Structure formats: structure tokens, C-alpha cells
């Protein structure tokens, strides 16, 4: 756990080392937040919100650079590249999330109806799909970001099998933390412009990108350690 906390400190230092990135991400987060708050954006339509896709793509490249052993921050010069990566990752997440929602609702319904065994079965399937989601995203990293590799179930199973439980739990913790803070993307402005909403939005403008960048770095560091332990090479187009 000491190494994990060292990674946390590293992620904090990394996030604050490029104030320009925090500012730009803050602007993108604010725009995305306003779009999501003041319009009826379904999960599917989020795939076409450019600012959202740029944010997701930027987060991917933070993790990718870390996996390559780089302390550099991604640049915003190639917006198309960031948008493309954000779209691919969002589609992968969208597809897996669809199964997660179905299994969760089924587990809830069977639990309410008193069928505990079937509910537990769907909870087990839910956990399996979540592991496949993490493994699928990681498998993309191992294959130059190729979209279909996120659904190569045979390779994903082999990949998950290679990892020891302790290392994989660390990666899971890092990913969950990252996803929790990524939810800040859809927070930001509330309906109406009260004083509280204004103050909250100003704080979120700086804290949201800080947490977002830092946690993407944290994911990369933990995955990098996991891959190094297994002597697995990673091939990423990180130009």
C-alpha cells in the first residue's frame, strides 16, 4: 500500500505541474457541464458532444503517456486525435455499460421478488462484465488503441488471468476512483444562477480538472506497475 500512496502523491504533483492543462480542461468541463445540464442529452448523444470527447481522449492520453514512462502532459494541438480517441473509448464504455445496466436491473427485480439466488447470479454477471470493461480498455492499450481489441474476450480473459489479485485490486481501486471523479464532468452548474451555484462552479472549475488529470495518472501508474511485474510490453501511438 505504501507504493500506492506514493503513486497518489506522484499523481498530485503531476496534475499541478501543468496549470495550462488544468485551465483548458476547466473550460472544457464547464462547457460540457452546461450542455449536459441545460439540454436533454441521453447517454448515446453524449458520444457526439465534442467537448466531452476531447476530455475523454485527453484522459486516455494521460494514462497512455504514463504507461510509456513519460511525465509529459498531452497537448491540445491535435484536437481531432483527442476527439477520435474519446469517441472510441466512449463507445466501448457505452456498450459495456448497457450490459451492466441490464444485469443490475435484473438483479434488483429478482431481489425485490425474493429470488435471492437468481439475483446473486446477475450480480456475479455484473461483476464479470465490469472486469471485462477494465480488461477491454487495457487490452486496447496493448494493441495500439485498436477499437475491436476491447471486445476480444479470449485475450481479455488471458490478460486478467495473468494478473495477481493484489495488483489487480490496486488497478480496480485506481479505476473506480478515476470514474467517481469523472462524474464531476456532468456536475458543474445547477439550474439557476444562485450565489451557491456560482461559488460551487468556480471551485469545480479548478478542482474538477485537477482530480480528473490526477486520477488518470494514478490509473496509468498502477497499470504500469502491474504490466512491469508481468514483463508485458505496451504499444501505444502517443505522439
Amino acid at each position: 500500500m505504501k507504493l500506492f500512496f506514493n503513486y497518489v502523491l506522484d499523481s498530485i504533483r503531476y496534475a499541478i505541474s501543468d496549470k495550462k492543462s488544468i485551465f483548458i480542461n476547466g473550460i472544457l468541463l464547464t462547457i460540457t457541464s452546461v450542455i449536459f445540464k441545460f439540454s436533454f442529452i441521453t447517454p448515446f448523444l453524449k458520444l457526439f458532444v465534442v467537448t466531452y470527447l476531447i476530455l475523454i481522449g485527453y484522459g486516455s492520453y494521460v494514462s497512455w503517456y504514463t504507461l510509456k514512462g513519460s511525465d509529459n502532459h498531452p497537448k491540445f494541438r491535435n484536437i481531432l486525435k483527442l476527439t477520435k480517441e474519446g469517441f472510441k473509448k466512449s463507445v466501448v464504455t457505452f456498450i459495456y455499460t448497457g450490459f451492466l445496466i441490464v444485469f443490475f436491473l435484473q438483479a434488483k427485480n429478482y431481489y425485490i421478488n425474493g429470488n435471492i439466488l437468481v439475483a446473486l447470479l446477475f450480480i456475479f454477471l455484473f461483476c464479470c462484465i465490469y472486469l471485462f470493461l477494465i480488461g477491454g480498455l487495457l487490452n486496447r492499450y496493448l494493441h495500439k488503441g485498436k477499437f475491436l481489441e476491447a471486445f476480444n474476450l479470449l485475450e481479455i480473459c488471458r490478460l486478467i488471468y495473468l494478473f495477481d489479485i493484489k495488483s489487480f485490486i490496486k488497478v480496480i481501486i485506481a479505476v473506480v476512483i478515476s470514474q467517481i471523479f469523472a462524474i464531476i464532468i456532468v456536475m458543474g452548474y445547477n439550474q439557476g444562477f444562485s450565489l451557491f451555484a456560482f461559488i460551487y462552479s468556480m471551485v469545480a472549475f479548478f478542482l474538477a480538472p485537477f482530480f480528473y488529470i490526477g486520477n488518470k495518472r494514478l490509473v496509468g501508474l498502477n497499470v504500469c506497475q502491474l504490466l512491469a511485474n508481468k514483463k508485458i510490453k505496451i504499444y501505444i501511438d502517443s505522439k
Side-chain angles (χ1 to χ4, degrees):
M1 288 300 292
K2 182 179 179 180
L3 184 59
F4 181 83
F5 286 114
N6 287 337
Y7 285 162
V8 172
L9 294 176
D10 180 285
S11 299
I12 294 173
R13 288 191 294 266
Y14 176 84
I16 63 178
S17 66
D18 191 338
K19 296 177 177 59
K20 182 179 178 181
S21 294
I22 292 179
F23 182 74
I24 295 176
N25 275 283
I27 293 175
L28 293 172
L29 284 163
T30 300
I31 295 173
T32 304
S33 176
V34 171
I35 293 174
F36 288 176
K37 282 290 184 179
F38 293 95
S39 60
F40 299 99
I41 300 292
T42 65
F44 177 74
L45 290 179
K46 289 181 181 180
L47 301 177
F48 303 98
V49 178
V50 176
T51 54
Y52 173 74
L53 299 180
I54 294 173
L55 284 166
I56 299 301
Y58 184 89
S60 288
Y61 273 94
V62 169
S63 296
W64 290 7
Y65 276 40
T66 302
L67 289 169
K68 293 289 287 185
S70 173
D71 294 327
N72 295 327
H73 286 251
K75 304 299 181 182
F76 285 96
R77 287 193 295 264
N78 197 332
I79 297 299
L80 181 60
K81 191 171 187 177
L82 292 176
T83 304
K84 183 178 178 181
E85 166 54 28
F87 180 77
K88 289 193 292 185
K89 184 174 180 180
S90 295
V91 171
V92 170
T93 305
F94 178 80
I95 293 173
Y96 275 106
T97 300
F99 288 100
L100 290 173
I101 291 174
V102 170
F103 291 143
F104 175 79
L105 292 177
Q106 289 297 321
K108 180 181 177 181
N109 290 335
Y110 279 105
Y111 177 78
I112 292 175
N113 293 327
N115 199 330
I116 306 299
L117 289 178
V118 178
L120 290 174
L121 173 62
F122 278 106
I123 290 175
F124 173 76
L125 292 174
F126 177 93
C127 294
C128 288
I129 294 298
Y130 187 72
L131 289 178
F132 277 123
L133 168 59
I134 296 174
L137 293 174
L138 178 56
N139 199 48
R140 278 191 64 226
Y141 294 169
L142 299 176
H143 294 84
K144 299 181 180 180
K146 293 182 179 178
F147 176 78
L148 292 180
E149 293 301 328
F151 304 99
N152 189 332
L153 300 184
L154 182 59
E155 284 201 14
I156 293 173
C157 287
R158 289 173 178 172
L159 190 59
I160 294 174
Y161 180 75
L162 285 174
F163 300 148
D164 60 275
I165 296 177
K166 184 178 179 180
S167 297
F168 198 72
I169 287 176
K170 289 181 180 179
V171 173
I172 293 280
I173 293 174
V175 170
V176 170
I177 292 174
S178 177
Q179 291 177 343
I180 289 174
F181 282 114
I183 295 174
I184 298 176
I185 293 176
V186 300
M187 294 177 66
Y189 292 99
N190 293 307
Q191 295 290 349
F193 290 96
S194 64
L195 179 60
F196 173 79
F198 176 77
I199 295 174
Y200 173 83
S201 298
M202 290 300 99
V203 173
F205 181 87
F206 294 102
L207 288 184
F210 167 77
F211 283 126
Y212 183 64
I213 295 170
N215 280 283
K216 289 300 180 182
R217 171 76 170 181
L218 181 62
V219 171
L221 289 171
N222 280 277
V223 173
C224 189
Q225 181 201 6
L226 191 153
L227 296 176
N229 290 341
K230 296 299 178 179
K231 298 181 180 180
I232 299 174
K233 292 183 178 180
I234 188 164
Y235 302 94
I236 299 172
D237 177 16
S238 58
K239 296 180 181 179

